[in-house]
Amino acid sequence: ADFDSKKKRKVAEIQQALSSDPIDVAALRRMAISEGGLLTDEIRCKVWPKLLSVNTDDLPPLPGKELREDNKDYQQVLLDVRRSLRRFPPGMPDDQREGLQEVLIDIILHVLKRNPQLHYYQGYHDIVVTFLLVVGDRLATALVEKLSTHHLRDFMDPTMDNTKHILNYLMPIIDQVNPEVHDFMQSAEVGTIFALSWLITWFGHVLSDFRHVVRLYDFFLACHPLMPIYFAAVIVLYREQEVLDCECDMASVHHLLSQIPQDLPYEALIRKAGDLFVQFPPSELAKEAAQQQAEQTAASTFKDFELASVQQRPDTVLRQRFRERPRGEERTKSILTKPRTNRFVKLAVMGLTVALGAAALAVVKSALEWAPKFELQIFP
Protein backbone atom coordinates (compact mmCIF):
# COMPACT_ATOMS: atom_id res chain seq x y z
CA ALA A 1 0.00 0.00 0.00
CA ASP A 2 2.83 2.36 0.86
CA PHE A 3 4.55 1.57 -2.47
CA ASP A 4 1.32 2.21 -4.40
CA SER A 5 0.75 5.54 -2.67
CA LYS A 6 4.34 6.62 -3.40
CA LYS A 7 3.93 5.60 -7.03
CA LYS A 8 0.65 7.51 -7.40
CA ARG A 9 2.22 10.58 -5.81
CA LYS A 10 5.20 10.40 -8.14
CA VAL A 11 3.01 9.98 -11.22
CA ALA A 12 1.01 13.03 -10.15
CA GLU A 13 4.22 15.07 -9.69
CA ILE A 14 5.45 14.04 -13.14
CA GLN A 15 2.12 14.99 -14.74
CA GLN A 16 2.21 18.33 -12.95
CA ALA A 17 5.74 19.02 -14.21
CA LEU A 18 4.73 18.10 -17.77
CA SER A 19 1.63 20.31 -17.71
CA SER A 20 3.30 23.39 -16.23
CA ASP A 21 4.15 26.29 -18.53
CA PRO A 22 7.02 26.26 -19.17
CA ILE A 23 7.55 22.55 -18.56
CA ASP A 24 9.34 21.97 -15.25
CA VAL A 25 12.37 20.12 -16.59
CA ALA A 26 14.18 20.33 -13.25
CA ALA A 27 11.34 18.42 -11.59
CA LEU A 28 11.35 15.83 -14.38
CA ARG A 29 15.05 15.29 -13.85
CA ARG A 30 14.53 14.85 -10.13
CA MET A 31 11.83 12.29 -10.85
CA ALA A 32 14.10 10.41 -13.29
CA ILE A 33 16.91 10.26 -10.72
CA SER A 34 14.91 9.49 -7.59
CA GLU A 35 13.89 6.00 -6.48
CA GLY A 36 12.07 4.02 -9.15
CA GLY A 37 12.93 6.43 -11.95
CA LEU A 38 10.14 7.21 -14.40
CA LEU A 39 8.15 4.07 -13.49
CA THR A 40 6.59 3.17 -16.87
CA ASP A 41 7.41 3.26 -20.57
CA GLU A 42 4.28 5.36 -21.13
CA ILE A 43 5.75 8.06 -18.90
CA ARG A 44 9.18 7.68 -20.51
CA CYS A 45 7.65 8.43 -23.91
CA LYS A 46 6.61 11.81 -22.52
CA VAL A 47 9.61 12.62 -20.32
CA TRP A 48 12.65 11.36 -22.25
CA PRO A 49 12.08 13.91 -25.06
CA LYS A 50 11.95 16.70 -22.46
CA LEU A 51 15.20 15.52 -20.87
CA LEU A 52 16.86 15.68 -24.30
CA SER A 53 15.08 18.87 -25.39
CA VAL A 54 13.50 17.18 -28.41
CA ASN A 55 10.37 18.73 -29.91
CA THR A 56 7.84 15.91 -30.35
CA ASP A 57 5.65 18.11 -32.54
CA ASP A 58 8.29 18.25 -35.25
CA LEU A 59 9.63 14.71 -35.61
CA PRO A 60 11.56 13.67 -38.73
CA PRO A 61 9.91 11.24 -41.15
CA LEU A 62 10.80 7.58 -40.76
CA PRO A 63 14.06 6.67 -42.50
CA GLY A 64 13.78 4.62 -45.69
CA LYS A 65 15.62 1.59 -47.06
CA GLU A 66 17.51 3.70 -49.60
CA LEU A 67 20.05 4.51 -46.86
CA ARG A 68 21.43 0.99 -47.18
CA GLU A 69 22.75 1.52 -50.69
CA ASP A 70 26.50 2.12 -50.82
CA ASN A 71 26.65 2.76 -47.07
CA LYS A 72 30.06 2.02 -45.58
CA ASP A 73 28.54 1.04 -42.19
CA TYR A 74 25.69 -1.12 -43.44
CA GLN A 75 27.40 -4.52 -43.26
CA GLN A 76 28.74 -3.98 -39.74
CA VAL A 77 25.40 -2.63 -38.52
CA LEU A 78 23.63 -5.59 -40.10
CA LEU A 79 25.93 -8.07 -38.35
CA ASP A 80 25.53 -6.38 -34.97
CA VAL A 81 21.76 -6.14 -35.23
CA ARG A 82 21.46 -9.80 -36.24
CA ARG A 83 23.38 -10.69 -33.07
CA SER A 84 21.03 -8.65 -30.90
CA LEU A 85 18.39 -11.34 -30.29
CA ARG A 86 18.78 -11.19 -26.51
CA ARG A 87 17.93 -7.49 -26.47
CA PHE A 88 14.34 -8.20 -27.47
CA PRO A 89 11.69 -9.35 -24.98
CA PRO A 90 11.61 -13.15 -24.54
CA GLY A 91 8.62 -14.65 -26.25
CA MET A 92 8.32 -11.91 -28.88
CA PRO A 93 7.14 -13.49 -32.17
CA ASP A 94 9.95 -13.91 -34.69
CA ASP A 95 8.27 -11.83 -37.38
CA GLN A 96 7.74 -8.93 -34.96
CA ARG A 97 11.35 -9.08 -33.76
CA GLU A 98 12.69 -9.28 -37.32
CA GLY A 99 10.61 -6.25 -38.26
CA LEU A 100 12.03 -4.28 -35.35
CA GLN A 101 15.56 -5.32 -36.30
CA GLU A 102 14.98 -3.90 -39.79
CA VAL A 103 13.77 -0.63 -38.26
CA LEU A 104 16.80 -0.64 -35.94
CA ILE A 105 19.16 -0.80 -38.92
CA ASP A 106 17.36 2.08 -40.65
CA ILE A 107 17.44 4.32 -37.55
CA ILE A 108 21.18 3.82 -37.10
CA LEU A 109 21.96 4.49 -40.76
CA HIS A 110 19.68 7.55 -40.73
CA VAL A 111 21.53 9.13 -37.78
CA LEU A 112 24.92 8.41 -39.35
CA LYS A 113 23.84 9.79 -42.73
CA ARG A 114 22.57 13.05 -41.22
CA ASN A 115 25.67 13.43 -39.02
CA PRO A 116 28.73 12.45 -41.07
CA GLN A 117 31.01 13.55 -38.21
CA LEU A 118 29.74 10.56 -36.20
CA HIS A 119 31.35 7.15 -36.56
CA TYR A 120 29.54 3.90 -35.81
CA TYR A 121 30.90 1.70 -33.04
CA GLN A 122 29.98 -1.82 -32.00
CA GLY A 123 27.59 -1.51 -29.09
CA TYR A 124 25.82 1.58 -30.42
CA HIS A 125 22.94 -0.63 -31.53
CA ASP A 126 22.44 -1.71 -27.89
CA ILE A 127 21.55 1.88 -27.02
CA VAL A 128 19.39 2.44 -30.08
CA VAL A 129 17.34 -0.74 -29.51
CA THR A 130 16.52 0.41 -25.97
CA PHE A 131 14.99 3.62 -27.30
CA LEU A 132 13.19 1.74 -30.08
CA LEU A 133 11.56 -0.68 -27.62
CA VAL A 134 10.52 2.08 -25.21
CA VAL A 135 9.31 4.93 -27.44
CA GLY A 136 8.78 3.45 -30.91
CA ASP A 137 10.50 4.08 -34.23
CA ARG A 138 9.84 7.71 -35.07
CA LEU A 139 10.49 9.19 -31.63
CA ALA A 140 13.48 6.88 -31.14
CA THR A 141 15.04 8.30 -34.31
CA ALA A 142 14.86 11.86 -32.96
CA LEU A 143 16.02 10.97 -29.44
CA VAL A 144 18.94 8.84 -30.61
CA GLU A 145 20.14 11.59 -32.96
CA LYS A 146 20.16 14.16 -30.14
CA LEU A 147 21.85 11.73 -27.76
CA SER A 148 24.46 10.79 -30.37
CA THR A 149 25.49 14.39 -30.95
CA HIS A 150 25.75 15.05 -27.23
CA HIS A 151 26.12 12.41 -24.48
CA LEU A 152 27.43 9.67 -26.78
CA ARG A 153 29.46 11.89 -29.06
CA ASP A 154 32.84 11.01 -27.58
CA PHE A 155 32.25 7.32 -28.33
CA MET A 156 31.56 8.21 -31.96
CA ASP A 157 34.87 9.88 -32.74
CA PRO A 158 37.11 8.43 -35.47
CA THR A 159 39.41 7.03 -32.77
CA MET A 160 38.84 5.68 -29.26
CA ASP A 161 41.00 8.36 -27.65
CA ASN A 162 38.15 10.16 -25.89
CA THR A 163 36.50 6.89 -24.87
CA LYS A 164 39.76 5.74 -23.31
CA HIS A 165 40.04 9.08 -21.58
CA ILE A 166 36.58 8.71 -20.03
CA LEU A 167 37.59 5.25 -18.79
CA ASN A 168 40.56 6.95 -17.14
CA TYR A 169 38.18 8.48 -14.60
CA LEU A 170 37.28 5.06 -13.21
CA MET A 171 40.37 4.39 -11.11
CA PRO A 172 40.61 7.89 -9.54
CA ILE A 173 36.98 7.56 -8.37
CA ILE A 174 37.71 4.15 -6.84
CA ASP A 175 40.89 5.52 -5.26
CA GLN A 176 39.02 8.35 -3.54
CA VAL A 177 36.56 5.95 -1.92
CA ASN A 178 38.57 2.78 -1.34
CA PRO A 179 42.35 3.04 -1.79
CA GLU A 180 42.75 -0.63 -0.90
CA VAL A 181 40.64 -1.79 -3.84
CA HIS A 182 42.37 0.74 -6.09
CA ASP A 183 45.84 -0.46 -5.10
CA PHE A 184 44.84 -4.10 -5.49
CA MET A 185 43.57 -3.47 -9.02
CA GLN A 186 46.71 -1.52 -9.86
CA SER A 187 48.87 -4.38 -8.59
CA ALA A 188 46.88 -6.81 -10.71
CA GLU A 189 47.35 -4.50 -13.73
CA VAL A 190 43.75 -5.16 -14.70
CA GLY A 191 43.21 -1.78 -16.37
CA THR A 192 39.72 -0.54 -17.20
CA ILE A 193 38.85 -2.41 -20.38
CA PHE A 194 36.41 -4.63 -18.44
CA ALA A 195 34.13 -1.59 -18.14
CA LEU A 196 34.25 -0.60 -21.83
CA SER A 197 31.04 -2.38 -22.86
CA TRP A 198 29.28 -1.01 -19.77
CA LEU A 199 30.19 2.53 -20.70
CA ILE A 200 29.54 2.60 -24.45
CA THR A 201 26.17 0.78 -24.21
CA TRP A 202 25.02 2.44 -20.98
CA PHE A 203 24.99 -1.10 -19.53
CA GLY A 204 22.39 -2.18 -22.12
CA HIS A 205 24.64 -4.92 -23.45
CA VAL A 206 25.47 -6.53 -20.10
CA LEU A 207 22.20 -6.44 -18.15
CA SER A 208 19.65 -9.13 -19.00
CA ASP A 209 16.62 -7.55 -17.31
CA PHE A 210 15.20 -4.77 -19.47
CA ARG A 211 13.64 -3.08 -16.42
CA HIS A 212 17.09 -2.44 -14.99
CA VAL A 213 18.35 -1.09 -18.30
CA VAL A 214 15.60 1.51 -18.67
CA ARG A 215 15.92 2.48 -15.00
CA LEU A 216 19.58 3.32 -15.64
CA TYR A 217 18.65 5.19 -18.82
CA ASP A 218 16.29 7.37 -16.75
CA PHE A 219 19.22 8.18 -14.48
CA PHE A 220 21.80 8.79 -17.19
CA LEU A 221 19.49 10.94 -19.33
CA ALA A 222 18.93 13.22 -16.35
CA CYS A 223 22.61 13.61 -15.49
CA HIS A 224 26.05 14.66 -16.65
CA PRO A 225 27.53 12.63 -19.54
CA LEU A 226 30.14 11.13 -17.21
CA MET A 227 27.61 9.63 -14.82
CA PRO A 228 27.90 6.13 -16.40
CA ILE A 229 31.57 5.97 -15.37
CA TYR A 230 30.61 6.89 -11.80
CA PHE A 231 28.06 4.10 -11.88
CA ALA A 232 30.72 1.70 -13.16
CA ALA A 233 32.90 2.71 -10.22
CA VAL A 234 30.19 2.02 -7.66
CA ILE A 235 29.66 -1.46 -9.11
CA VAL A 236 33.34 -2.22 -8.54
CA LEU A 237 33.20 -0.71 -5.07
CA TYR A 238 30.08 -2.71 -4.23
CA ARG A 239 32.03 -5.88 -5.08
CA GLU A 240 34.94 -4.89 -2.85
CA GLN A 241 35.22 -8.19 -1.00
CA GLU A 242 35.00 -10.27 -4.17
CA VAL A 243 37.78 -8.20 -5.71
CA LEU A 244 40.07 -8.45 -2.69
CA ASP A 245 39.45 -12.20 -2.38
CA CYS A 246 40.46 -12.70 -6.02
CA GLU A 247 43.89 -13.81 -7.19
CA CYS A 248 45.92 -10.66 -7.72
CA ASP A 249 46.58 -11.09 -11.41
CA MET A 250 45.18 -9.46 -14.50
CA ALA A 251 43.32 -12.47 -15.91
CA SER A 252 41.54 -13.34 -12.65
CA VAL A 253 40.47 -9.82 -11.75
CA HIS A 254 39.41 -9.02 -15.32
CA HIS A 255 37.31 -12.19 -15.48
CA LEU A 256 35.62 -11.40 -12.16
CA LEU A 257 34.80 -7.78 -13.00
CA SER A 258 33.69 -8.42 -16.57
CA GLN A 259 30.99 -10.83 -15.32
CA ILE A 260 28.54 -8.26 -14.04
CA PRO A 261 26.06 -9.55 -11.40
CA GLN A 262 22.41 -9.36 -12.44
CA ASP A 263 21.05 -8.90 -8.90
CA LEU A 264 22.69 -5.58 -8.10
CA PRO A 265 20.92 -3.22 -5.65
CA TYR A 266 20.31 -0.68 -8.40
CA GLU A 267 18.59 2.04 -6.39
CA ALA A 268 21.31 2.02 -3.73
CA LEU A 269 24.03 2.13 -6.40
CA ILE A 270 22.31 5.00 -8.21
CA ARG A 271 22.21 6.99 -4.97
CA LYS A 272 25.88 6.19 -4.34
CA ALA A 273 26.92 7.21 -7.87
CA GLY A 274 25.18 10.55 -7.45
CA ASP A 275 26.76 11.00 -4.04
CA LEU A 276 30.24 10.41 -5.47
CA PHE A 277 29.56 12.84 -8.30
CA VAL A 278 28.78 15.53 -5.72
CA GLN A 279 31.93 14.78 -3.70
CA PHE A 280 34.31 14.24 -6.59
CA PRO A 281 33.07 16.09 -9.69
CA PRO A 282 34.94 15.61 -12.97
CA SER A 283 36.75 18.91 -12.52
CA GLU A 284 38.43 17.58 -9.38
CA LEU A 285 39.41 14.28 -10.99
CA ALA A 286 40.67 15.66 -14.28
CA LYS A 287 44.36 15.71 -13.37
CA GLU A 288 44.28 12.19 -11.98
CA ALA A 289 42.50 11.03 -15.10
CA ALA A 290 45.41 12.42 -17.16
CA GLN A 291 43.11 14.75 -19.03
CA GLN A 292 45.32 15.97 -21.84
CA GLN A 293 42.51 16.86 -24.23
CA ALA A 294 40.01 18.43 -21.86
CA GLU A 295 38.57 20.76 -24.49
CA GLN A 296 37.70 17.88 -26.80
CA THR A 297 35.28 15.89 -24.64
CA ALA A 298 31.52 16.23 -24.45
CA ALA A 299 31.81 16.19 -20.66
CA SER A 300 33.91 19.34 -20.63
CA THR A 301 31.33 21.20 -22.71
CA PHE A 302 28.48 20.16 -20.42
CA LYS A 303 27.74 22.71 -17.68
CA ASP A 304 29.91 21.48 -14.85
CA PHE A 305 27.97 20.28 -11.88
CA GLU A 306 30.07 22.43 -9.61
CA LEU A 307 28.89 25.60 -11.33
CA ALA A 308 25.40 24.58 -12.34
CA SER A 309 24.25 23.58 -8.86
CA VAL A 310 25.66 26.58 -7.00
CA GLN A 311 22.21 27.91 -6.08
CA GLN A 312 20.98 24.67 -4.52
CA ARG A 313 21.23 25.05 -0.76
CA PRO A 314 22.24 21.51 0.33
CA ASP A 315 24.95 21.30 -2.30
CA THR A 316 26.11 24.85 -1.68
CA VAL A 317 26.71 24.00 1.95
CA LEU A 318 28.64 20.90 0.91
CA ARG A 319 30.76 22.75 -1.60
CA GLN A 320 31.44 25.63 0.79
CA ARG A 321 32.67 23.20 3.39
CA PHE A 322 34.89 21.45 0.85
CA ARG A 323 36.32 24.80 -0.27
CA GLU A 324 37.18 25.62 3.34
CA ARG A 325 39.27 22.45 3.61
CA PRO A 326 43.01 22.81 3.01
CA ARG A 327 43.96 22.03 -0.57
CA GLY A 328 46.97 20.19 -1.90
CA GLU A 329 49.15 17.50 -0.43
CA GLU A 330 48.09 18.11 3.17
CA ARG A 331 44.45 17.22 2.43
CA THR A 332 44.21 13.56 3.31
CA LYS A 333 41.94 11.06 1.64
CA SER A 334 40.58 9.94 5.00
CA ILE A 335 38.79 13.26 5.42
CA LEU A 336 36.79 12.75 2.24
CA THR A 337 36.18 9.03 2.30
CA LYS A 338 34.06 8.25 5.33
CA PRO A 339 30.56 7.99 3.87
CA ARG A 340 29.10 6.44 7.01
CA THR A 341 30.13 9.22 9.37
CA ASN A 342 30.83 12.32 7.30
CA ARG A 343 27.95 14.76 7.76
CA PHE A 344 28.85 16.56 4.54
CA VAL A 345 28.30 13.34 2.62
CA LYS A 346 24.87 13.09 4.21
CA LEU A 347 24.17 16.61 3.00
CA ALA A 348 25.19 15.54 -0.47
CA VAL A 349 22.73 12.65 -0.35
CA MET A 350 19.94 14.93 0.79
CA GLY A 351 20.66 17.48 -1.88
CA LEU A 352 21.46 15.15 -4.73
CA THR A 353 18.22 15.10 -6.67
CA VAL A 354 17.75 18.85 -6.37
CA ALA A 355 21.30 19.64 -7.38
CA LEU A 356 21.45 17.25 -10.30
CA GLY A 357 18.15 18.59 -11.54
CA ALA A 358 19.53 22.10 -11.46
CA ALA A 359 22.67 21.10 -13.31
CA ALA A 360 20.70 19.57 -16.11
CA LEU A 361 18.17 22.39 -16.19
CA ALA A 362 20.95 24.91 -16.69
CA VAL A 363 21.76 23.17 -19.95
CA VAL A 364 18.18 22.87 -21.12
CA LYS A 365 17.29 26.46 -20.22
CA SER A 366 20.23 27.75 -22.18
CA ALA A 367 18.85 25.93 -25.25
CA LEU A 368 21.82 23.64 -25.26
CA GLU A 369 24.04 26.64 -25.89
CA TRP A 370 27.16 24.50 -25.51
CA ALA A 371 26.31 22.28 -28.49
CA PRO A 372 27.48 24.55 -31.31
CA LYS A 373 30.71 25.23 -29.43
CA PHE A 374 31.63 21.65 -29.01
CA GLU A 375 30.79 20.71 -32.55
CA LEU A 376 33.08 23.48 -33.76
CA GLN A 377 35.83 22.36 -31.40
CA ILE A 378 35.70 18.75 -32.38
CA PHE A 379 34.85 19.04 -36.04
CA PRO A 380 36.55 22.13 -37.50
Side-chain angles (χ1 to χ4, degrees):
D2 185 48
F3 173 77
D4 287 341
S5 64
K6 280 185 178 178
K7 184 175 179 179
K8 285 180 181 176
R9 189 162 60 247
K10 188 169 195 179
V11 170
E13 290 175 0
I14 292 171
Q15 295 301 339
Q16 182 179 355
L18 285 168
S19 58
S20 66
D21 186 13
I23 290 169
D24 191 347
V25 180
L28 295 177
R29 292 184 182 276
R30 290 196 298 272
M31 296 299 103
I33 292 166
S34 63
E35 186 175 0
L38 295 174
L39 302 172
T40 70
D41 287 353
E42 183 182 2
I43 293 174
R44 290 182 178 102
C45 287
K46 298 174 182 177
V47 175
W48 281 6
K50 308 308 177 189
L51 298 182
L52 286 172
S53 194
V54 167
N55 182 4
T56 54
D57 295 327
D58 187 28
L59 295 176
L62 286 174
K65 304 294 183 195
E66 69 279 356
L67 291 170
R68 303 184 182 200
E69 297 173 11
D70 300 321
N71 190 298
K72 64 182 177 63
D73 296 302
Y74 173 59
Q75 288 301 323
Q76 185 61 58
V77 172
L78 179 64
L79 288 172
D80 289 346
V81 169
R82 281 179 175 170
R83 289 193 292 257
S84 66
L85 298 183
R86 58 184 290 274
R87 294 304 318 281
F88 293 87
M92 176 180 279
D94 287 348
D95 57 346
Q96 184 182 356
R97 174 186 50 76
E98 290 167 3
L100 286 171
Q101 286 179 304
E102 291 298 306
V103 174
L104 180 57
I105 293 170
D106 292 337
I107 292 174
I108 293 171
L109 297 180
H110 173 79
V111 172
L112 295 173
K113 175 74 172 179
R114 280 173 48 87
N115 300 274
Q117 76 274 21
L118 301 179
H119 297 260
Y120 178 76
Y121 64 88
Q122 287 184 277
Y124 180 70
H125 69 289
D126 284 300
I127 288 182
V128 182
V129 72
T130 303
F131 282 88
L132 175 59
L133 291 172
V134 172
V135 305
D137 48 10
R138 198 169 172 202
L139 183 51
T141 303
L143 296 183
V144 166
E145 181 167 10
K146 177 59 74 73
L147 194 71
S148 300
T149 55
H150 295 91
H151 286 64
L152 304 180
R153 215 285 328 294
D154 289 329
F155 309 145
M156 306 188 77
D157 275 352
T159 71
M160 285 189 64
D161 289 349
N162 280 340
T163 302
K164 290 175 184 174
H165 169 64
I166 294 170
L167 282 169
N168 285 343
Y169 279 84
L170 182 66
M171 295 304 289
I173 297 168
I174 293 171
D175 188 30
Q176 292 284 3
V177 181
N178 193 322
E180 185 181 7
V181 169
H182 170 271
D183 293 348
F184 181 89
M185 292 174 67
Q186 291 288 73
S187 296
E189 299 182 343
V190 69
T192 57
I193 200 69
F194 66 85
L196 177 62
S197 65
W198 306 357
L199 180 67
I200 64 175
T201 69
W202 277 11
F203 296 84
H205 184 73
V206 292
L207 298 180
S208 57
D209 192 325
F210 193 69
R211 294 172 304 164
H212 297 151
V213 175
V214 294
R215 172 65 188 102
L216 286 180
Y217 277 44
D218 292 341
F219 180 45
F220 296 152
L221 285 169
C223 293
H224 188 286
L226 282 182
M227 190 57 81
I229 203 67
Y230 283 79
F231 192 79
V234 299
I235 291 178
V236 175
L237 293 164
Y238 172 74
R239 303 182 71 190
E240 168 191 0
Q241 202 54 53
E242 288 179 86
V243 173
L244 296 177
D245 288 344
C246 191
E247 291 291 328
C248 190
D249 63 74
M250 190 270 286
S252 300
V253 180
H254 177 85
H255 178 74
L256 171 73
L257 290 175
S258 59
Q259 305 297 311
I260 193 168
Q262 297 297 312
D263 59 346
L264 294 167
Y266 292 94
E267 295 300 335
L269 295 183
I270 284 170
R271 287 194 298 272
K272 182 64 174 176
D275 182 11
L276 293 183
F277 191 95
V278 171
Q279 292 181 74
F280 314 113
S283 57
E284 290 188 9
L285 299 175
K287 286 184 180 178
E288 291 185 70
Q291 189 165 17
Q292 297 175 352
Q293 295 179 318
E295 304 82 13
Q296 296 185 0
T297 63
S300 69
T301 55
F302 195 91
K303 293 290 186 187
D304 188 83
F305 186 94
E306 196 168 19
L307 298 173
S309 61
V310 69
Q311 295 180 342
Q312 304 302 314
R313 285 175 299 173
D315 186 57
T316 299
V317 173
L318 176 73
R319 295 219 157 275
Q320 184 63 36
R321 297 292 186 177
F322 278 176
R323 281 196 293 270
E324 289 169 0
R325 295 175 188 272
R327 295 282 177 173
E329 294 299 324
E330 71 274 12
R331 186 177 68 171
T332 62
K333 284 178 186 174
S334 60
I335 295 175
L336 291 175
T337 55
K338 294 182 179 176
R340 290 185 180 84
T341 59
N342 191 317
R343 62 195 177 97
F344 303 129
V345 175
K346 292 176 183 176
L347 279 173
V349 174
M350 286 189 294
L352 170 63
T353 56
V354 177
L356 283 176
L361 180 62
V363 175
V364 175
K365 272 193 167 179
S366 61
L368 299 171
E369 63 185 13
W370 44 275
K373 283 190 290 185
F374 90 33
E375 289 189 352
L376 286 172
Q377 289 172 353
I378 305 301
F379 313 115

